[in-house]
Amino acid sequence: MKKAPCALPVAGPQADLDELINLLIQSGAEALLIVEGGQPLGVVTPTDLLRGVQGSEPEEGAVVLAPEVQA
């Protein structure tokens, strides 16, 4: 598991929902940083992951990085 300078665990934009959940659990962090090509793209929170499990649509204004996270 890579750590970003802000100490959040890092995942790529193609990580699926299970990978993101496992990373968050293993790290004990409060959120995950999504990075591609060294550039931060966004943050995934536990609430975001629960919405993915539930199959809910993302909130208005949310950036969806991987289709696997959507229902």
Side-chain angles (χ1 to χ4, degrees):
M1 161 180 32
K2 294 190 292 185
K3 295 271 187 168
C6 63
L8 289 177
V10 173
Q14 298 306 314
D16 66 23
L17 185 58
D18 287 335
E19 290 175 277
L20 296 174
I21 291 169
N22 287 333
L23 182 56
L24 191 67
I25 290 169
Q26 290 173 359
S27 70
E30 295 181 14
L32 303 172
L33 183 62
I34 306 300
V35 175
E36 182 173 44
Q39 296 295 315
L41 299 177
V43 174
V44 175
T45 67
T47 301
D48 297 326
L49 296 176
L50 287 170
R51 283 192 179 103
V53 168
Q54 187 182 44
S56 299
E57 291 294 318
E59 284 188 353
E60 186 176 331
V63 176
V64 178
L65 300 172
E68 296 84 4
V69 176
Q70 287 186 357

